[in-house]
DNA sequence: ACGCCCTTCTGGATCGATTCAGTCTGGATC
DNA sequence: GATCCAGACTGAATCGATCCAGAAGGGCGT
């Protein structure tokens, strides 16, 4: 079998502790002996202290867990998530912390044990709406955690970095309203679960389960209410996934119907790009008869001329990591609200 | 402190082993007792067996390490790497394996210990040219590993999934040569280390340290040699990074010089897009006076009309994961060569 | 009543290190 | 020459589980 600390100790004729010190606390032994030990280790093919055993004894691991409550591969498919991870990994790198990407089985019970079995010192939970069970499991392990969305009635240990979804969405909608649009559609991913793509009847934004989508729809509604357009006059479109194709599918029938909206406000850039795809296929070029807005300001948005609400993706990731790796003394500092900026491009114009 | 197995055992009045079995081998005890144990655990706030202790005893971790020998955050910046990771994570997810992204310090000695300290069952090494030290460290730990490039004189344990870089590049260049181009520039990232952006004198492709770049340049050269264009007649352009900006910077002076090339063959799509940016800024629209080709076929390539060599990014990731997670019995099956396809778009045309 | 098997549960050994209170040694101090 | 001390090294306890040989108890056939 592979050699252990003890084998090296035997070979050199010293105690296990001394070999351990040779690796982890060089100041505890003479340089000469340390060299002898390291040489012997090399000869024996000893690769250094076993990381698992070390973690067990030391009580910490040196890795933070990253949880995507939807599919893990989503993390690499969604441009915003990728930029978030870029920021996260940069900060982790600076702290020498590794990132453990934990895949979650579809079965909730199994998913919970996946969270309980992850060897990490803390968790970053990328919010997908339904994550309370995950947070509960994390708290059960008494590990620190950060979420990527504002939590209203947060548990004291709950740290987060997010934006004011509702206010940001309201700003987008105010821009659209100011351009004179009154017949508008709001487009979101999984506005209601298990619902086909296309228009949806909703009593109000409060009925939307996903908090981020709920906040954004509410913000859109706020702005239109302020100019006299009631919630019931707004069309809500449901997309079955956060992808261009899903966005296109959700909006298709509505755009070709009679009395199509003059503006479509999407809850994400990816969905908005899907809308632009549909318009482009119908032969429309910018500026369109239909104004379109997105959310997040991903790289593709600029190229497509998409008006959108920018949120600092990399910074969000960086701060999430820092909240875990250098925990603020003041608990209030554990709640970070990021700035957002309306980026007006060519996809919006007068009604 | 947090409760342990022993505490739960004491509370219920059974042995440690029985509590352990309640979690890991439910068939070893009666359902009734199992429920009593699990209930007691819940009451005590016991979060389930400690993952680190379990790993130590069981001898495996349930995670595979992912090594980017350049900066970790590069993984999320390069579109090809992201798609690779998407494939990797999808396969890992299916096997219930977690992904440990290990950041490597710039200092080589520290980087080596980072590899030695990662608690994983195997490594996927995303090739960056200089990774032999990492492979050595991994072999020292007797862990299985996969690299993302073909290795010629591979260690027996060395599994890989790659493409025939040279043949693929040759195919691209043959396409360009067939269009009549004879005055061409070849563009690569870090053709020689520590060299400013722009043209470079090289005796031949053999002088390039990075194996992937070397293979691609050699393939380009092969095709042009076949039509009578000598290596010395080719311009080699060095980019200082794999980004659009770096690609643009590398090519700028050459494009505006006298006798500019009629075609630029880049070693990656990102670099090629940088060249297109430069051309667009100079007011050129497709089809250009200058043909441009890329490599990889990332998503942006299609939108930009870039002719490129497609390699199956997600599949590469998937196969890498599978080579680790379901090791082939036949060692020859540990060497996978992927298919590549020339995708001709509008960025190439007759000279 | 006896032996046998099967299920259920136990106790101790073990995984591979780290930690900390000591012990030992040689040299400086008075 | 006795005392003290800093530096170098040791040993046992510990981290929190899993594993396995075996003990206890119950049911069954003869």
């Amino acid at each position: 079998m592979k050699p252990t600390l003890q084998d090296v100790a035997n070979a050199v004729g010293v105690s296990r502790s001394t070999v351990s010190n040779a690796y982890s606390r060089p100041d505890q032994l003479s340089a000469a002996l340390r060299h002898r030990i390291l040489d012997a280790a090399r000869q024996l093919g000893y690769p250094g202290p076993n990381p698992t055993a070390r973690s067990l004894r030391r009580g910490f691991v040196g890795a933070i867990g990253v949880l995507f409550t939807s599919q893990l591969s989503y993390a690499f498919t969604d441009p915003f998530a990728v930029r978030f991870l870029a920021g996260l990994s940069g900060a982790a790198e600076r702290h020498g912390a590794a990132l453990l990407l934990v895949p979650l089985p579809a079965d909730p019970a199994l998913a919970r044990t996946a969270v309980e079995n992850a060897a990490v010192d803390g968790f970053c939970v990328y919010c997908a709406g339904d994550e309370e069970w995950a947070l509960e499991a994390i708290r059960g392990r008494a590990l620190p955690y950060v979420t990527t969305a504002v939590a209203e009635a947060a548990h004291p240990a709950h740290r987060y970095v997010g934006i004011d979804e509702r206010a940001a969405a309201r700003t987008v909608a105010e821009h659209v309203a100011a351009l004179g649009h009154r017949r508008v559609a709001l487009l979101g991913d999984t506005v209601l679960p298990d619902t086909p793509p296309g228009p949806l009847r909703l009593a109000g934004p409060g009925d939307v389960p996903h908090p981020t989508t709920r906040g954004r729809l509410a913000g859109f509604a706020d702005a239109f209410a302020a100019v006299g357009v009631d919630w019931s006059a707004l069309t809500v479109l449901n997309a079955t996934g956060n992808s261009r194709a899903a966005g296109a599918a959700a909006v298709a029938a509505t755009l070709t119907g009679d009395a199509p909206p003059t503006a479509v406000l999407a809850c994400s850039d990816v969905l908005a790009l899907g809308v632009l795809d549909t318009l482009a296929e119908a032969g429309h070029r910018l500026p369109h008869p239909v104004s379109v807005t997105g959310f997040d300001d991903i790289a593709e948005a600029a190229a497509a001329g998409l008006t959108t609400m920018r949120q600092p993706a990399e910074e969000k990731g960086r701060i999430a990591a820092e909240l875990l790796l250098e925990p603020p003394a003041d608990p209030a500092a554990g709640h970070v609200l990021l700035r957002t900026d309306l980026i007006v491009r060519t996809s919006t114009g007068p009604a």
Side-chain angles (χ1 to χ4, degrees), chain A:
Chain A
M1 271 329 291
K2 268 186 302 185
T4 71
L5 257 198
Q6 183 71 72
D7 299 321
V8 179
N10 294 343
V12 183
V14 295
S15 81
R16 203 161 58 253
S17 325
T18 303
V19 180
S20 175
N21 285 334
Y23 283 95
S24 322
R25 308 162 71 166
D27 56 312
Q28 295 295 302
L29 34 54
S30 64
L33 179 56
R34 175 153 191 266
H35 259 103
R36 269 212 297 145
I37 291 176
L38 263 29
D39 281 350
R42 200 164 310 125
Q43 281 204 356
L44 288 174
Y46 176 70
N50 177 311
T52 308
R54 163 180 295 198
S55 295
L56 174 59
R57 183 63 240 237
R58 288 199 169 161
F60 88 108
V61 180
I64 69 185
V66 183
L67 240 46
F68 281 80
T69 45
S70 57
Q71 279 217 123
L72 174 54
S73 43
Y74 174 83
F76 300 102
T77 307
D78 179 53
F80 185 79
V82 169
R83 286 176 54 200
F84 173 82
L85 283 173
L88 188 72
S89 67
E93 194 159 35
R94 251 168 277 128
H95 286 82
L99 253 37
L100 188 75
L101 304 181
V102 185
L104 296 177
D107 179 328
L110 290 180
R112 197 188 160 110
T113 69
V115 173
E116 287 169 340
N117 286 336
V120 296
D121 301 318
F123 277 101
C124 171
V125 183
Y126 192 89
C127 286
D130 164 36
E131 62 255 341
E132 192 44 41
W133 59 268
L135 303 187
E136 211 172 86
I138 298 169
R139 278 185 232 119
R141 291 183 59 184
L143 290 177
Y145 65 100
V146 175
T147 65
T148 61
V150 173
E152 292 93 5
H155 190 274
H158 192 152
R159 303 202 267 271
Y160 63 72
V161 49
I163 61 171
D164 185 338
E165 305 283 358
R166 187 164 182 166
R170 177 176 183 140
T171 304
V172 174
E174 278 167 353
H175 161 70
V176 175
L179 288 167
H181 295 275
R182 292 299 179 267
R183 206 165 63 245
V184 304
L186 315 180
L187 169 59
D189 172 21
T190 319
V191 175
L192 288 183
D194 305 319
T195 309
L200 211 61
R201 276 280 112 223
L202 269 183
D207 291 357
V208 177
H210 191 303
T212 301
T213 304
R214 181 170 64 235
R216 294 186 184 174
L217 291 181
F220 292 153
D222 289 347
F224 284 106
V227 294
V229 178
D230 217 37
W231 171 260
S232 59
L234 300 168
T235 306
V236 177
L237 297 172
N238 183 52
T240 54
N242 189 35
S243 66
R244 288 172 92 120
V251 85
T254 305
L255 281 181
T256 56
D258 42 276
T262 66
V264 179
L265 314 201
C267 287
S268 80
D269 281 353
V270 176
L271 292 176
L273 290 171
V275 177
L276 293 181
D277 289 345
T278 303
L279 290 167
E281 254 169 50
H284 295 298
R285 296 215 130 252
L286 285 175
H288 292 132
V290 181
S291 284
V292 179
T293 68
F295 213 107
D296 291 344
D297 193 30
I298 63 177
E300 290 97 310
L306 182 66
T307 292
T308 191
M309 178 56 68
R310 172 179 300 167
Q311 57 169 320
E314 287 86 358
E315 195 179 344
K316 201 171 185 178
R318 177 177 61 72
I319 293 179
E322 287 170 354
L323 284 176
L324 278 176
L325 296 169
E326 32 187 273
D330 174 13
H335 298 171
V336 178
L337 212 57
L338 294 173
R339 139 199 116 261
T340 53
D341 297 295
L342 179 66
I343 308 292
V344 178
R345 297 202 180 93
T346 50
S347 72
T348 45

